[in-house]
Amino acid sequence: MLPEKKLLRMANQIATFFASQPGPDKAERVAAHLKDFWGPEMRAELKALARSGHERDLDDLVRRALPMI
Amino acid sequence: MKDFVIPAFPPGDDRDMGTPARTGAPVTLSIDGFEVTVPEGTSVMRAAAEAGIQVPKLCATDSLEAFGSCRLCVVEIEGRRGTPASCTTPVAPGMVVRTQSPKVKKIRRGVMELYISDHPLDCLTCAANGDCELQDMAGAVGLRDVRYEAPEGGSLANHFEARNTSGAPNPEWIAKDDSNPYFTYDPAKCIVCNRCVRACEEVQGTFALTIEGRGFDSRVKAGGAGDDFLSSDCVSCGACVQACPTATLQEKSVIELGTPERSVVTTCAYCGVGCSFKAELNGDELVRMVPWKHGGANRGHSCVKGRFAWGYANHSDRILHPMIRESIDLPWREVSWEEAIGFAAERLRGIQERHGRKSVGVITSSRCTNEETFLVQKLTRAVFLNNNTDTCARVCHSPTGYGLGQTYGTSAGTQNFDSVMQSDVIIVIGANPTDGHPVFASRLKKRLREGARLIVIDPRRIDLVKSAHVEAAHHLALRPGTNVAVVTALAHVIVAEGLFDETFIRERCDWDEFQEFAEFVSDIRHSPEMTEMLTGVPAEDLRAAARLYATGGNGAIYYGLGVTEHSQGSTTVMGIANLAMLTGNIGREGVGVNPLRGQNNVQGSCDMGSFPHELPGYRHVKNADVRAIFESAWGVEIDPEPGLRIPNMLDAAVGGSFKGLYCQGEDILQSDPDTKHVAAGLAAMECVIVHDLFLNETANYAHVFLPGSTFLEKDGTFTNAERRINRVRKVMAPRNGYADWEITQMLANAMGAGWHYTHPAQIMEEIAATTPSFAGVTYDMLEEKGSVQWPCNAANPEGSPIMHVDGFVRGKGRFIVTEYVPTDEKTGPRFPLLLTTGRILSQYNVGAQTRRTENTVWHKEDVLEIHPHDAEVRGIKDGDWVRLASRSGDTSLRAVLTDRVSPGVVYTTFHHPGTQANVITTDYSDWATNCPEYKVTAVQVSLSNGPTEWQKSYAEQAERARRVLPAAE
C-alpha cells in the first residue's frame, strides 16, 4: 500500500471506531487519539494530504478533527 | 479459624518435603519426641520434614500426591496397629510418631535389599552418581548386604542384565531409549516408583507415560505399543526426569558433562510465563537447567524450551565480535568494540545533523532485561532527544495496552498464575497455551481435571479443546476476523437474559456508560442468531457459552495474539474487559482478564516506557508533570510529542525522513508483517545497528553489528505476564565481552551521554525513583522475597498479586461500545482462503534461539495446515509442496492435511526464515495501535515444485549479506 493511502486508511479506521461511540464529541475524540498516538510529522502529513486533494478520501470525523490536531 | 501459614522457605532451600503442602487448621503432634504443628491434611512424612527429620522414601516427592508404594517410609504410631506409610498417613492431633525403631529399620532394610537386588551396582560410572535417591536411601537405611543372587549357570529374574548367567539373552532386559534429544530412558535402572508417570499426569497433564504390565513385569512405557519417547505424546517438559529418583530418566547433558556442583537461581528467557530455574553448573559450564520449586510463576514446572533448549548460547553461529560495514552490499568487517561504537555514534550524529534529531530511533528488546530496555528508551529520549522508541509489543500486545488502559486504567493482566486454581469457568480466546505458554497450560489443565469448565474461542481445534482428561464445554470455532462480533454477542446474551451482576456494576463501574453499553449490545443485530452467518458460530453454542461464563462461578478469561493481531484488536480487548465487568469477574482470585504475553520480558519492556507515546509506567509524554520527573533526573528536555511506532518508522524510512535505527534483540525483518516493506524500509536507512546474538534476518540490512549477551551472562530483571518481577542472575561471564546494558551505555557515552552505571541494580534504583508502580522495588527486596508483582510501592509494599481489588486503577470501570467492523482483508475468487498464523511448542518466536537447538527434531520447517476438503479440491496430498500466495506476496512450504482447521481456513507458523510467512501477511493493522493483522490474510494455495522466486532471491541476498571478511592480522 502506498504510504499516503496507508495514512488515510489509518485515520479513517480511527474515525470508524469513534463514530460508533455514544456522545456528541466524536470528532474531538478522533483528534485526541491522533494527538496522543501520532507524532506531529504524521499529523502534518495527514493535513497536507487533506489539503492536496485527499479531503474527499477522509471520513467526515477526520475532516472535523483536522483543525484540532 | 485462621488458616495456618507455613513459614516461607528461605530462597535456596530446596529440601524435598515428601508430599505437597496443605492449608488448614493447625494440628499439633509429636514426632520422635519433638512437637510439630502443621496444617490439617499434612502427611506425617511432611510434618517430620518440617521438624527437620527426613523419613526415608523413594516413591514420594513433594511435587506429587502421595502414592504409598515403596514401603520405605513406614513409621510407628502409638495406638495404631502395624507400620503405616508416613506419606499417605495424615497427621492427627496428639499423634505420637516414631520414625526410627528396630521394627521399621528392619522393614526398610528389607525393602532396600529387594530394590537393590534388581538394580545394577555400577554406581561409580552411573550418570546419577551423587544425585541418586536410591543410592542415598541405601545409605540411610544402612544396607550392607544383598542376599539375593542368581544361580550359577542358570536363568535369573532381573531387569538389568542384558544376558543371564548362562549367557542367554535376558528377556526382561530392555535397551536404553535415547530417542529424545535431551534425556534417556534406561529401563535397567528403573525401580517402578511411578513418579515419572504421576509427574506426567499430575504436573504436566499430558498422560504420555504409563506402567505397562503387573507385578514383576511392571515397566514404565511412553506411548503405546511400538512407541519410544520421541514418537509418543511426550512433550519433553522434563517433569518425569525431574521426578525420577535414579538414573532411569537422565538428562543427556549430565551424562556427558557430569553432575553439577553449583547452582544459581535465575529466570527463563523464553515465553511470558517467566519460569524460575536453577542453572546448574560446573565452573562456568552450564550442565542443566532445573525448574525451581519456589518459582512464583512455575511452582517447579518447566517446558521443553526453558528446561532443555539453552544450547543456542554456545552455538557456533553466535557472533562474539563487533562488526561494521560501509554499506550493506559489502561484507562485514570484524573490528574492536571501540571502533564499532565510534562508527555507530558518528553515523547517528551525522544523520541527526543532516536530517534532524527525529531522523533516528530505537527498538527495545522484549528479550532483554528491564534495566536494558530502560536504558535503550532513555538513549532515544535523553541522548537522541526524541521519542522514537518502540518494541515488539507493537506487533503483539499493544492493543492490550490500549484496550485495558481505556477500560480499567492500566495495561496488565489482572491476576497471578496461581489464580487459575480458583477458577470455575475459563475462557481461552485466541490463545494456544499448551504450545505458547505450556507451564501455565499445565496449571490450567490441572484445574480443568478438578472440574472447572472450559470455553475455547478459536478458529482452530487447539489441543485444549480435547486432550487427555480435558475437554472444552464449548468450542466456538469462529471465522478469523470476527472476534468482536462473537464477544459482543456474548455480552448481548448476558445483558438480554439478565445475567449481569448489577451490584458489581453499580458499585465499581460508571453506571451511565453501562446503560449506553447495555442499550448498544441489546440491539437484535448483536444477537448470536444474527451474527451466526458472519462468525460461523452456532447461536445455541454461543448462548450456552455466555450463560456458563455468567453463571458458572468464578469466570476467568485468558487471551493471546488471536485477539490482538487484528484490525479490531483493541476493540476485542475492550470487549473482553466489558465481559469481565458485566459479570463481576474482576478484583479477586479465580477471575480476571489475562493477556498471555509472548516474550519473556514483553510486559517489562512495555512497563519501561518502550512505546513512543509513554514514559516508563504508562504515562503519556504530553503530561508536563511526568516529563518533569525525567527531565530533572536526566537533565534534558523531553519531547512532549509522541514519536514513531515501528511501522511508522519503516514508512518514514521509505519516505526518506527516518535514517538511523538501533535495534536491540529483535528481528523485525522476520517477525514483522509484509516482509518486502520492512526490507525496503531497512534498505533505505543510512545506519542500522543490530544488537543481537546472531546475524539475524534484520542484520542483512545492518551497517553495525553489536554482539549481544545471553540471559545467562548478565544481571537484571524480567517481568512476566502476571507482572512478576523476577531476578535474572549472571551465571557466567558474557562470551561477547559485555552485558547488553553495558553496550548501550557505551553507545550512549560515545554520543556524549556521560552515564556511569556499574551494575543493573543502579538502573533499577533509577526506575524505582521515577516510576510509581516500581517505587518499592530494589534488588535487596528481590533477594529477600524471590520476586514481587507490581504495583509495588507505599500503597502495596508487598506487591500486588491481584489488581483492581477495591476499585479500578482508573477509578470507575468503563464500559466501551464495541461495534464490529469487518476487516478490509477479504476473501474473493483469487484468494478464497483465510490464513491465520501461530506457533508451536518446540519453537519460539522467529526461532533464532530454538532453531539452534535440538528442538528442531520436533519442528524442522513451517508447514501449512489445510482442511482435507480444501486440499482435495486443489489436488493437494499430505506432504506436498504448496505455494501460498496473498495480495502481498508468495512463499512455498509443505502441506499437512488436518481437520484441526475448518474448511476455508489455513494455518502456519513463522519460526523459519526460509518460509518467511510474513511475506504473505499484509500491512493492515489495528485501528488504535497499528498492531499488524497477522491473523487474517486472504490467500490461495496451489501445488508447487519447491521454493518460490522470492524465497530463492531472499536466500541469495541473505547469504551475500552475511559474508564476513577474515579478521585482519
Side-chain angles (χ1 to χ4, degrees):
Chain A
M1 211 186 311
L2 288 169
E4 312 86 68
K5 212 178 149 198
K6 196 145 101 183
L7 206 67
L8 297 169
R9 181 178 185 278
M10 280 158 50
N12 286 341
Q13 272 184 292
I14 293 166
T16 305
F17 176 79
F18 287 107
S20 73
Q21 297 302 301
D25 57 349
K26 297 181 173 73
E28 287 76 10
R29 292 174 70 182
V30 170
H33 189 93
L34 289 171
K35 279 201 291 193
D36 278 356
F37 297 98
W38 288 25
E41 298 77 14
M42 284 171 68
R43 300 191 318 250
E45 205 183 322
L46 183 67
K47 284 179 163 173
L49 283 172
R51 279 194 303 271
S52 63
H54 283 289
E55 193 158 11
R56 61 194 148 82
D57 299 327
L58 284 169
D59 190 288
D60 176 52
L61 279 181
V62 180
R63 285 202 294 267
R64 280 161 50 202
L66 284 179
M68 294 179 265
I69 61 166
Chain B
M1 184 180 285
K2 196 167 179 288
D3 278 356
F4 183 76
V5 180
I6 297 176
F9 291 95
D13 183 343
D14 288 347
R15 277 184 308 153
D16 185 351
M17 308 301 281
T19 63
R22 293 283 183 259
T23 50
V27 172
T28 301
L29 70 160
S30 159
I31 300 178
D32 293 343
F34 297 100
E35 200 151 275
V36 190
T37 303
V38 293
E40 193 178 0
T42 302
S43 70
V44 169
M45 174 183 280
R46 188 176 179 103
E50 298 281 356
I53 297 165
Q54 295 283 344
V55 181
K57 62 177 185 59
L58 280 171
C59 72
T61 185
D62 59 9
S63 60
L64 304 170
E65 291 300 325
F67 193 58
S69 82
C70 76
R71 304 296 301 163
L72 202 62
C73 71
V74 290
V75 292
E76 289 199 82
I77 299 174
E78 259 180 33
R80 295 209 187 174
R81 275 182 297 176
T83 49
S86 63
C87 64
T88 52
T89 307
V91 295
M95 194 180 244
V96 178
V97 179
R98 280 194 298 152
T99 71
Q100 291 289 338
S101 72
K103 191 174 175 186
V104 298
K105 288 199 304 199
K106 192 173 171 204
I107 294 173
R108 288 177 193 155
R109 216 171 284 150
V111 168
M112 277 311 295
E113 191 178 356
L114 281 166
Y115 271 119
I116 298 302
S117 72
D118 193 10
H119 193 84
L121 297 178
D122 61 349
C123 293
L124 286 180
T125 52
C126 176
N129 187 15
D131 184 28
C132 171
E133 292 180 39
L134 191 68
Q135 197 178 44
D136 296 345
M137 289 305 114
V141 304
L143 182 71
R144 298 292 172 256
D145 191 23
V146 176
R147 292 164 293 171
Y148 310 107
E149 270 181 30
E152 276 293 321
S155 65
L156 81 173
N158 74 27
H159 296 100
F160 66 88
E161 297 275 21
R163 293 181 179 277
N164 68 24
T165 44
S166 67
N170 175 5
E172 301 290 345
W173 181 83
I174 300 173
K176 207 187 221 187
D177 173 358
D178 56 5
S179 59
N180 184 291
Y182 297 118
F183 62 86
T184 61
Y185 165 52
D186 185 355
K189 294 190 169 169
C190 180
I191 59 169
V192 203
C193 64
N194 226 300
R195 273 160 67 163
C196 54
V197 177
R198 287 180 286 143
C200 193
E201 294 177 5
E202 290 178 33
V203 179
Q204 166 58 27
T206 293
F207 295 74
L209 303 182
T210 188
I211 299 289
E212 208 175 51
R214 309 177 67 172
F216 193 72
D217 294 330
S218 306
R219 312 303 288 255
V220 170
K221 179 82 182 83
D227 272 330
D228 55 18
F229 265 80
L230 193 63
S231 67
S232 75
D233 287 343
C234 168
V235 292
S236 199
C237 68
C240 58
V241 182
Q242 185 69 3
C244 180
T246 69
T248 308
L249 289 160
Q250 184 74 57
E251 296 92 347
K252 287 183 176 174
S253 60
V254 173
I255 296 174
E256 190 190 329
L257 304 170
T259 41
E261 50 88 23
R262 70 184 183 100
S263 71
V264 182
V265 173
T266 189
T267 304
C268 178
Y270 281 116
C271 79
V273 176
C275 297
S276 297
F277 276 88
K278 274 168 66 181
E280 298 191 342
L281 307 97
N282 283 320
D284 70 347
E285 183 175 56
L286 185 61
V287 176
R288 65 178 168 189
M289 296 287 283
V290 176
W292 190 45
K293 66 195 287 189
H294 302 307
N298 57 320
R299 307 281 175 209
H301 191 35
S302 60
C303 81
V304 61
K305 296 189 283 282
R307 178 78 153 92
F308 296 117
W310 39 265
Y312 68 86
N314 290 318
H315 195 276
S316 59
D317 285 354
R318 195 167 155 199
I319 305 290
L320 300 173
H321 303 286
M323 303 190 296
I324 59 171
R325 57 183 168 190
E326 284 298 322
S327 65
I328 58 169
D329 52 347
L330 295 173
W332 285 106
R333 194 157 58 82
E334 273 187 15
V335 294
S336 67
W337 276 101
E338 204 180 4
E339 187 176 350
I341 296 283
F343 179 88
E346 199 176 307
R347 280 218 165 181
L348 290 176
R349 275 289 178 238
I351 290 170
Q352 285 196 303
E353 278 160 20
R354 287 194 306 280
H355 302 281
R357 66 184 161 86
K358 293 190 176 183
S359 57
V360 299
V362 299
I363 296 177
T364 74
S365 175
S366 294
R367 297 177 198 168
C368 285
T369 63
N370 283 318
E371 293 76 2
E372 286 163 345
T373 304
F374 184 85
L375 285 196
V376 174
Q377 63 89 32
K378 180 175 173 178
L379 174 70
T380 207
R381 295 201 156 106
V383 182
F384 299 171
L385 299 175
N386 63 45
N387 286 317
N388 292 336
T389 170
D390 209 356
T391 190
C392 79
R394 174 64 51 213
V395 299
C396 64
H397 267 295
S398 54
T400 292
Y402 181 80
L404 292 186
Q406 292 291 313
T407 47
Y408 296 169
T410 193
S411 162
T414 63
Q415 310 298 113
N416 58 1
F417 286 134
D418 288 344
S419 161
V420 76
M421 297 313 287
Q422 311 298 324
S423 299
D424 301 308
V425 179
I426 298 153
I427 297 184
V428 174
I429 169 166
N432 186 8
T434 54
D435 286 46
H437 303 86
V439 170
F440 166 70
S442 289
R443 300 288 288 286
L444 170 62
K445 288 197 287 186
K446 186 170 192 163
R447 183 60 188 158
L448 294 173
R449 292 195 302 275
E450 290 174 354
R453 311 289 302 278
L454 174 68
I455 299 164
V456 173
I457 306 177
D458 201 288
R460 281 174 83 223
R461 194 182 68 236
I462 58 171
D463 283 350
L464 275 180
V465 172
K466 191 164 180 2
S467 57
H469 298 264
V470 165
E471 186 168 6
H474 303 283
H475 174 209
L476 312 184
L478 76 179
R479 266 173 72 80
T482 61
N483 287 336
V484 170
V486 168
V487 169
T488 307
L490 289 169
H492 170 91
V493 175
I494 293 166
V495 171
E497 299 189 6
L499 306 176
F500 55 91
D501 183 344
E502 185 173 336
T503 318
F504 179 90
I505 297 167
R506 281 191 183 277
E507 276 173 18
R508 303 281 302 274
C509 305
D510 186 303
W511 185 251
D512 292 338
E513 278 162 351
F514 167 69
Q515 284 179 313
E516 284 168 353
F517 173 76
E519 193 190 326
F520 163 77
V521 294
S522 300
D523 193 307
I524 192 74
R525 73 181 197 279
H526 300 303
S527 69
E529 290 74 17
M530 295 291 280
T531 52
E532 181 174 336
M533 285 301 285
L534 172 74
T535 63
V537 176
E540 260 324 292
D541 276 1
L542 192 142
R543 279 194 184 271
R547 289 172 194 141
L548 178 61
Y549 173 67
T551 63
N554 282 343
I557 304 177
Y558 292 85
Y559 72 89
L561 306 185
V563 160
T564 55
E565 289 174 348
H566 289 275
S567 286
Q568 280 199 291
S570 291
T571 315
T572 310
V573 172
M574 294 188 280
I576 287 171
N578 288 338
L579 286 178
M581 288 190 288
L582 206 51
T583 52
N585 277 316
I586 204 92
R588 60 177 194 279
E589 271 209 289
V591 299
V593 172
N594 303 279
L596 293 168
R597 313 291 309 235
Q599 302 205 44
N600 53 320
N601 199 37
V602 66
Q603 179 72 52
S605 74
C606 297
D607 300 343
M608 291 298 103
S610 293
F611 288 139
H613 65 286
E614 281 170 345
L615 286 155
Y618 303 101
R619 292 165 296 166
H620 203 284
V621 291
K622 71 184 173 188
N623 298 317
D625 55 332
V626 180
R627 287 200 311 278
I629 297 169
F630 292 92
E631 286 173 347
S632 76
W634 297 344
V636 295
E637 199 174 314
I638 307 257
D639 187 343
E641 289 283 2
L644 296 171
R645 300 172 286 193
I646 294 172
N648 312 144
M649 289 179 194
L650 294 166
D651 291 344
V654 173
S657 59
F658 188 82
K659 295 285 187 185
L661 177 68
Y662 171 43
C663 180
Q664 183 179 66
E666 177 69 13
D667 192 357
I668 56 169
L669 186 62
Q670 193 181 341
S671 64
D672 285 37
D674 197 359
T675 309
K676 290 175 182 172
H677 179 64
V678 179
L682 289 168
M685 294 186 206
E686 291 173 13
C687 181
V688 175
I689 305 165
V690 167
H691 180 172
D692 209 290
L693 298 176
F694 304 104
L695 276 175
N696 61 19
E697 305 308 305
T698 307
N700 297 346
Y701 292 88
H703 306 82
V704 180
F705 185 89
L706 302 175
S709 54
T710 72
F711 74 113
L712 298 165
E713 300 167 345
K714 58 197 180 188
D715 280 302
T717 56
F718 291 153
T719 307
N720 75 355
E722 43 166 13
R723 295 168 277 103
R724 186 184 300 279
I725 305 161
N726 268 318
R727 273 285 270 121
V728 179
R729 291 184 177 86
K730 182 174 171 176
V731 305
M732 58 180 74
R735 292 185 64 213
N736 57 322
Y738 294 102
D740 294 327
W741 59 270
E742 295 176 289
I743 295 164
T744 304
Q745 174 164 271
M746 288 192 287
L747 179 61
N749 286 345
M751 297 181 72
W755 296 351
H756 38 262
Y757 304 101
T758 56
H759 191 276
Q762 297 159 348
I763 307 171
M764 183 53 85
E765 279 170 27
E766 188 171 317
I767 295 166
T770 51
T771 309
S773 50
F774 278 68
V777 182
T778 65
Y779 273 38
D780 286 344
M781 173 210 227
L782 293 173
E783 227 31 73
E784 187 196 328
K785 290 187 190 300
S787 65
V788 67
Q789 289 170 270
W790 69 255
C792 174
N793 46 29
N796 309 282
E798 299 291 308
S800 313
I802 311 278
M803 290 195 86
H804 316 297
V805 175
D806 299 316
F808 286 98
V809 167
R810 72 182 300 279
K812 291 280 187 188
R814 181 170 165 220
F815 282 95
I816 294 180
V817 166
T818 53
E819 186 75 69
Y820 169 68
V821 180
T823 168
D824 289 344
E825 178 68 6
K826 290 184 175 39
T827 54
R830 280 179 64 215
F831 302 104
L833 302 171
L834 283 179
L835 169 75
T836 184
T837 59
R839 56 187 152 172
I840 59 135
L841 171 67
S842 58
Q843 299 285 355
Y844 175 71
N845 201 270
V846 295
Q849 292 136 294
T850 44
R851 277 187 282 111
R852 293 181 171 95
T853 69
E854 300 280 336
N855 276 25
T856 46
V857 72
W858 289 282
H859 187 83
K860 294 175 200 65
E861 57 187 335
D862 295 320
V863 295
L864 185 77
E865 287 188 5
I866 183 168
H867 192 275
H869 173 77
D870 291 327
E872 192 185 358
V873 297
R874 289 167 176 78
I876 294 165
K877 296 184 300 299
D878 201 64
D880 280 349
W881 272 98
V882 293
R883 177 174 171 273
L884 175 67
S886 74
R887 292 180 184 91
S888 290
D890 61 355
T891 187
S892 63
L893 68 177
R894 287 184 194 279
V896 167
L897 273 51
T898 172
D899 64 356
R900 284 165 73 100
V901 289
S902 305
V905 177
V906 292
Y907 168 87
T908 190
T909 48
F910 60 98
H911 301 304
H912 292 270
T915 325
Q916 287 287 4
N918 281 323
V919 77
I920 304 299
T921 51
T922 66
D923 57 3
Y924 290 137
S925 66
D926 174 48
W927 67 267
T929 66
N930 279 159
C931 178
E933 187 163 63
Y934 287 114
K935 301 293 185 183
V936 189
T937 310
V939 294
Q940 178 58 294
V941 178
S942 54
L943 280 167
S944 106
N945 296 323
T948 60
E949 285 308 312
W950 154 259
Q951 279 168 300
K952 284 183 206 156
S953 68
Y954 182 89
E956 279 164 23
Q957 195 274 341
E959 198 184 327
R960 254 197 331 275
R962 289 197 176 113
R963 285 171 302 159
V964 180
L965 283 179
E969 289 301 319

